Amino acid sequence: MKNLFTNNQLQGFMVFSHKRNWETILAFLEETLGQKQFFFFFDSERGYHLKVFGTNFKKVQLNIISSYLMSLPIYDVTVSEDPLFKNLPDNSLHTITYIPQPINITYSDNLADNEYLIFLRNLSSVVIDALRYNDFFIEEKSRINFAIQLIFMALVKANKEQIKQELAQTLENNPNNIDKNSPLVNFYREVQEIESEERIENWVINWLNIASDFLNIATFHTLVESICTMLEIRSFVPQLLYTTKAVLQF
């Protein structure tokens, strides 16, 4: 297995700002750094912030971003504060010198490093576009729902039998406790017909193609772990894998 931050020469910085500003900040990052030139993770350690990674950030770009942050509103902070490691100031930029283990992702030796970085950039672009359409998943409590949407949409064009085999081999056997008429299964079925809808958002079309291409070269587990890490819900990876295994039985 390979490691995202060991196998790739990445630079990173953190943008500390309240999550209400994230949609605006991410749009500005695309303008400044270029679309699909970076990927990011939501985070709330030491204050709400975005962890942003790429391969070639220029000092002038970071200075432009720092200046821009000063123009953004400051909101009341609701993130808990460690008595030793105080929260960092809102609307500030800090370069990353240490990558915390919780955001380090492992992936198969068979997956080329550049292909995985391309996927992370594409996934980030999809999330930014989805934010413009509906920002409900900015709230932590809604991110699991958004992750389920992304995961179920990723299955639309996927080889479902191959994914079923992967999950059967990697997950412990557990009884299927989801009823075939449950809202979750009905939602899964609806999503599988999404391409037949008359109106479909561009970010959805893009994600269907991005996910399909990625699952041709990578494992379903890597896709789910990437989504959950980006949305700061990594602890839910096992539950979402088991959920997928269950709905694929119908």
Side-chain angles (χ1 to χ4, degrees):
M1 298 294 286
K2 294 190 287 190
N3 183 294
L4 174 61
F5 294 106
T6 301
N7 285 80
N8 298 279
Q9 299 298 314
L10 295 170
Q11 301 173 359
F13 62 89
M14 298 174 288
V15 175
F16 279 82
S17 190
H18 196 279
K19 57 188 176 180
R20 293 183 188 177
N21 291 327
W22 284 359
E23 179 183 351
T24 303
I25 291 171
L26 288 167
F28 186 79
L29 291 180
E30 282 196 326
E31 293 177 10
T32 306
L33 303 175
Q35 191 178 35
K36 298 184 181 180
Q37 296 302 309
F38 64 93
F39 64 91
F40 66 89
F41 299 144
F42 292 171
D43 209 334
S44 56
E45 184 181 8
R46 302 187 69 184
Y48 291 120
H49 69 278
L50 301 165
K51 282 185 167 65
V52 183
F53 298 96
T55 55
N56 187 27
F57 296 137
K58 298 178 175 61
K59 185 175 181 180
V60 64
Q61 292 174 319
L62 300 184
N63 289 339
I64 290 171
I65 296 168
S66 295
S67 297
Y68 171 74
L69 293 174
M70 296 175 63
S71 69
L72 296 177
I74 294 178
Y75 298 95
D76 291 337
V77 177
T78 56
V79 178
S80 59
E81 187 168 40
D82 189 285
L84 295 178
F85 302 98
K86 299 294 184 181
N87 290 353
L88 293 173
D90 259 8
N91 298 341
S92 62
L93 183 150
H94 305 266
T95 56
I96 293 176
T97 57
Y98 167 74
I99 307 297
Q101 189 61 32
I103 65 168
N104 225 340
I105 304 175
T106 57
Y107 54 99
S108 170
D109 292 332
N110 296 327
L111 177 59
D113 297 329
N114 67 311
E115 291 292 339
Y116 187 42
L117 291 182
I118 288 171
F119 170 72
L120 290 174
R121 295 185 190 113
N122 286 338
L123 172 58
S124 293
S125 182
V126 165
V127 172
I128 293 171
D129 287 343
L131 274 174
R132 294 188 181 106
Y133 178 76
N134 190 332
D135 66 355
F136 79 98
F137 58 92
I138 283 289
E139 297 296 333
E140 293 90 333
K141 62 183 179 182
S142 300
R143 292 181 197 161
I144 298 174
N145 291 335
F146 183 55
I148 290 173
Q149 289 184 33
L150 290 175
I151 291 167
F152 283 3
M153 283 192 287
L155 296 171
V156 170
K157 294 185 174 184
N159 184 331
K160 296 179 178 61
E161 287 302 316
Q162 180 176 314
I163 292 174
K164 286 170 67 174
Q165 291 177 18
E166 176 191 330
L167 296 177
Q169 293 170 359
T170 57
L171 299 178
E172 295 181 2
N173 291 328
N174 68 323
N176 179 9
N177 56 2
I178 297 181
D179 185 85
K180 65 179 180 179
N181 294 316
S182 71
L184 187 62
V185 173
N186 288 334
F187 177 61
Y188 164 73
R189 289 170 176 154
E190 290 175 7
V191 170
Q192 301 315 295
E193 302 298 324
I194 197 168
E195 288 184 296
S196 64
E197 295 183 6
E198 292 185 6
R199 298 181 61 182
I200 180 170
E201 293 78 30
N202 286 333
W203 73 266
V204 173
I205 296 173
N206 291 336
W207 174 239
L208 294 178
N209 294 325
I210 290 165
S212 175
D213 291 343
F214 186 67
L215 289 175
N216 284 330
I217 60 174
T219 64
F220 184 71
H221 185 283
T222 300
L223 179 138
V224 173
E225 188 172 9
S226 302
I227 292 170
C228 291
T229 303
M230 187 167 290
L231 297 178
E232 200 188 3
I233 54 169
R234 189 165 181 171
S235 62
F236 288 93
V237 168
Q239 292 173 252
L240 294 176
L241 290 172
Y242 277 110
T243 297
T244 303
K245 182 180 179 182
V247 298
L248 283 174
Q249 304 307 311
F250 302 108

Short mmCIF file of all heavy atoms in Angstrom, two decimals, residues 119 122 126 150-151 153-158 205-218 223 227:
data_model
loop_
_atom_site.label_atom_id
_atom_site.label_comp_id
_atom_site.label_asym_id
_atom_site.label_seq_id
_atom_site.Cartn_x
_atom_site.Cartn_y
_atom_site.Cartn_z
N PHE A 119 -7.71 12.46 -9.27
CA PHE A 119 -9.03 12.17 -8.71
C PHE A 119 -9.36 13.11 -7.55
O PHE A 119 -10.47 13.65 -7.47
CB PHE A 119 -9.10 10.72 -8.22
CG PHE A 119 -10.33 10.43 -7.41
CD1 PHE A 119 -11.58 10.36 -8.01
CD2 PHE A 119 -10.25 10.26 -6.03
CE1 PHE A 119 -12.73 10.12 -7.26
CE2 PHE A 119 -11.39 10.02 -5.27
CZ PHE A 119 -12.63 9.94 -5.89
N ASN A 122 -10.24 16.44 -8.91
CA ASN A 122 -11.56 16.39 -9.55
C ASN A 122 -12.67 16.32 -8.51
O ASN A 122 -13.71 16.98 -8.65
CB ASN A 122 -11.65 15.19 -10.48
CG ASN A 122 -10.86 15.36 -11.76
OD1 ASN A 122 -10.58 16.48 -12.17
ND2 ASN A 122 -10.49 14.26 -12.39
N VAL A 126 -15.76 18.98 -7.86
CA VAL A 126 -17.17 18.59 -7.77
C VAL A 126 -17.81 19.13 -6.50
O VAL A 126 -18.92 19.66 -6.52
CB VAL A 126 -17.30 17.04 -7.82
CG1 VAL A 126 -18.69 16.60 -7.37
CG2 VAL A 126 -17.04 16.54 -9.23
N LEU A 150 -22.99 11.06 -2.81
CA LEU A 150 -21.84 10.88 -3.68
C LEU A 150 -21.54 9.40 -3.90
O LEU A 150 -21.22 8.97 -5.03
CB LEU A 150 -20.61 11.58 -3.09
CG LEU A 150 -20.62 13.11 -3.08
CD1 LEU A 150 -19.39 13.64 -2.35
CD2 LEU A 150 -20.67 13.67 -4.50
N ILE A 151 -21.62 8.62 -2.85
CA ILE A 151 -21.31 7.19 -2.94
C ILE A 151 -22.34 6.46 -3.80
O ILE A 151 -21.98 5.66 -4.68
CB ILE A 151 -21.22 6.57 -1.54
CG1 ILE A 151 -19.99 7.10 -0.81
CG2 ILE A 151 -21.19 5.04 -1.61
CD1 ILE A 151 -19.97 6.83 0.67
N MET A 153 -24.21 7.77 -6.10
CA MET A 153 -24.05 8.22 -7.48
C MET A 153 -22.83 7.56 -8.12
O MET A 153 -22.83 7.28 -9.33
CB MET A 153 -23.93 9.74 -7.54
CG MET A 153 -25.26 10.46 -7.38
SD MET A 153 -25.18 12.23 -7.79
CE MET A 153 -24.29 12.85 -6.37
N ALA A 154 -21.80 7.31 -7.32
CA ALA A 154 -20.61 6.65 -7.86
C ALA A 154 -20.92 5.24 -8.35
O ALA A 154 -20.20 4.70 -9.20
CB ALA A 154 -19.51 6.61 -6.79
N LEU A 155 -21.99 4.65 -7.85
CA LEU A 155 -22.36 3.29 -8.23
C LEU A 155 -23.16 3.22 -9.53
O LEU A 155 -23.33 2.15 -10.09
CB LEU A 155 -23.20 2.65 -7.11
CG LEU A 155 -22.48 2.44 -5.77
CD1 LEU A 155 -23.47 2.00 -4.70
CD2 LEU A 155 -21.37 1.41 -5.91
N VAL A 156 -23.63 4.38 -10.01
CA VAL A 156 -24.52 4.39 -11.17
C VAL A 156 -23.87 3.71 -12.37
O VAL A 156 -24.47 2.87 -13.04
CB VAL A 156 -24.93 5.84 -11.52
CG1 VAL A 156 -25.65 5.89 -12.86
CG2 VAL A 156 -25.84 6.40 -10.43
N LYS A 157 -22.63 4.08 -12.67
CA LYS A 157 -21.94 3.53 -13.84
C LYS A 157 -20.91 2.46 -13.48
O LYS A 157 -20.19 1.97 -14.34
CB LYS A 157 -21.23 4.65 -14.61
CG LYS A 157 -22.17 5.67 -15.25
CD LYS A 157 -21.38 6.67 -16.08
CE LYS A 157 -22.30 7.61 -16.83
NZ LYS A 157 -21.56 8.54 -17.72
N ALA A 158 -20.86 2.12 -12.21
CA ALA A 158 -19.82 1.20 -11.74
C ALA A 158 -20.19 -0.26 -12.02
O ALA A 158 -21.36 -0.59 -12.24
CB ALA A 158 -19.60 1.39 -10.24
N ILE A 205 -23.41 15.35 -13.28
CA ILE A 205 -22.89 14.72 -14.51
C ILE A 205 -21.39 14.52 -14.40
O ILE A 205 -20.86 13.44 -14.73
CB ILE A 205 -23.23 15.60 -15.73
CG1 ILE A 205 -24.74 15.70 -15.91
CG2 ILE A 205 -22.57 15.03 -16.99
CD1 ILE A 205 -25.17 16.68 -16.99
N ASN A 206 -20.69 15.55 -13.93
CA ASN A 206 -19.24 15.45 -13.79
C ASN A 206 -18.85 14.36 -12.82
O ASN A 206 -17.92 13.58 -13.07
CB ASN A 206 -18.67 16.79 -13.34
CG ASN A 206 -18.75 17.86 -14.40
OD1 ASN A 206 -18.83 17.56 -15.60
ND2 ASN A 206 -18.75 19.12 -14.00
N TRP A 207 -19.56 14.28 -11.70
CA TRP A 207 -19.22 13.27 -10.69
C TRP A 207 -19.48 11.86 -11.20
O TRP A 207 -18.69 10.95 -10.94
CB TRP A 207 -19.99 13.52 -9.40
CG TRP A 207 -19.78 12.44 -8.37
CD1 TRP A 207 -20.73 11.66 -7.80
CD2 TRP A 207 -18.54 12.02 -7.79
NE1 TRP A 207 -20.17 10.78 -6.91
CE2 TRP A 207 -18.82 10.99 -6.89
CE3 TRP A 207 -17.22 12.44 -7.96
CZ2 TRP A 207 -17.83 10.34 -6.15
CZ3 TRP A 207 -16.23 11.78 -7.23
CH2 TRP A 207 -16.54 10.76 -6.34
N LEU A 208 -20.55 11.64 -11.93
CA LEU A 208 -20.83 10.31 -12.48
C LEU A 208 -19.66 9.83 -13.34
O LEU A 208 -19.25 8.67 -13.26
CB LEU A 208 -22.11 10.33 -13.32
CG LEU A 208 -23.43 10.60 -12.57
CD1 LEU A 208 -24.59 10.64 -13.56
CD2 LEU A 208 -23.68 9.55 -11.50
N ASN A 209 -19.12 10.72 -14.15
CA ASN A 209 -18.01 10.36 -15.03
C ASN A 209 -16.69 10.21 -14.27
O ASN A 209 -15.93 9.27 -14.52
CB ASN A 209 -17.86 11.41 -16.14
CG ASN A 209 -19.04 11.42 -17.08
OD1 ASN A 209 -19.64 10.39 -17.38
ND2 ASN A 209 -19.41 12.61 -17.57
N ILE A 210 -16.45 11.13 -13.33
CA ILE A 210 -15.21 11.07 -12.54
C ILE A 210 -15.17 9.79 -11.72
O ILE A 210 -14.15 9.08 -11.68
CB ILE A 210 -15.10 12.31 -11.62
CG1 ILE A 210 -14.84 13.56 -12.47
CG2 ILE A 210 -14.01 12.12 -10.56
CD1 ILE A 210 -15.06 14.85 -11.72
N ALA A 211 -16.26 9.48 -11.04
CA ALA A 211 -16.32 8.28 -10.20
C ALA A 211 -16.18 7.02 -11.03
O ALA A 211 -15.48 6.06 -10.65
CB ALA A 211 -17.62 8.26 -9.41
N SER A 212 -16.85 7.00 -12.20
CA SER A 212 -16.77 5.83 -13.07
C SER A 212 -15.34 5.58 -13.52
O SER A 212 -14.84 4.45 -13.47
CB SER A 212 -17.68 6.03 -14.29
OG SER A 212 -17.54 4.98 -15.21
N ASP A 213 -14.66 6.63 -13.95
CA ASP A 213 -13.27 6.49 -14.40
C ASP A 213 -12.37 6.02 -13.26
O ASP A 213 -11.49 5.16 -13.46
CB ASP A 213 -12.75 7.83 -14.95
CG ASP A 213 -13.41 8.22 -16.27
OD1 ASP A 213 -14.01 7.34 -16.92
OD2 ASP A 213 -13.33 9.42 -16.63
N PHE A 214 -12.59 6.56 -12.07
CA PHE A 214 -11.73 6.22 -10.94
C PHE A 214 -11.92 4.76 -10.52
O PHE A 214 -10.95 4.06 -10.21
CB PHE A 214 -12.01 7.15 -9.76
CG PHE A 214 -11.07 6.96 -8.60
CD1 PHE A 214 -9.73 7.29 -8.74
CD2 PHE A 214 -11.51 6.49 -7.38
CE1 PHE A 214 -8.84 7.13 -7.68
CE2 PHE A 214 -10.64 6.33 -6.32
CZ PHE A 214 -9.30 6.65 -6.46
N LEU A 215 -13.17 4.30 -10.51
CA LEU A 215 -13.43 2.93 -10.08
C LEU A 215 -12.95 1.89 -11.10
O LEU A 215 -12.93 0.71 -10.80
CB LEU A 215 -14.92 2.74 -9.78
CG LEU A 215 -15.41 3.46 -8.51
CD1 LEU A 215 -16.91 3.32 -8.36
CD2 LEU A 215 -14.70 2.91 -7.27
N ASN A 216 -12.56 2.35 -12.27
CA ASN A 216 -11.93 1.44 -13.24
C ASN A 216 -10.48 1.17 -12.91
O ASN A 216 -9.89 0.21 -13.41
CB ASN A 216 -12.03 2.02 -14.66
CG ASN A 216 -13.41 1.90 -15.25
OD1 ASN A 216 -14.16 0.98 -14.93
ND2 ASN A 216 -13.77 2.83 -16.11
N ILE A 217 -9.88 2.02 -12.05
CA ILE A 217 -8.46 1.89 -11.74
C ILE A 217 -8.19 1.78 -10.24
O ILE A 217 -7.05 1.53 -9.84
CB ILE A 217 -7.65 3.07 -12.31
CG1 ILE A 217 -8.15 4.41 -11.73
CG2 ILE A 217 -7.72 3.10 -13.84
CD1 ILE A 217 -7.30 5.62 -12.13
N ALA A 218 -9.21 1.97 -9.41
CA ALA A 218 -8.99 2.00 -7.96
C ALA A 218 -10.10 1.24 -7.24
O ALA A 218 -11.13 0.88 -7.83
CB ALA A 218 -8.93 3.44 -7.47
N LEU A 223 -12.22 5.25 -2.81
CA LEU A 223 -13.17 6.31 -3.16
C LEU A 223 -13.93 6.78 -1.93
O LEU A 223 -14.05 7.98 -1.68
CB LEU A 223 -14.14 5.82 -4.24
CG LEU A 223 -15.21 6.82 -4.69
CD1 LEU A 223 -15.38 6.79 -6.21
CD2 LEU A 223 -16.56 6.52 -4.02
N ILE A 227 -13.71 10.54 0.01
CA ILE A 227 -14.88 11.39 0.23
C ILE A 227 -15.01 11.75 1.70
O ILE A 227 -15.19 12.92 2.06
CB ILE A 227 -16.16 10.68 -0.27
CG1 ILE A 227 -16.16 10.57 -1.80
CG2 ILE A 227 -17.42 11.42 0.21
CD1 ILE A 227 -17.26 9.69 -2.35
#
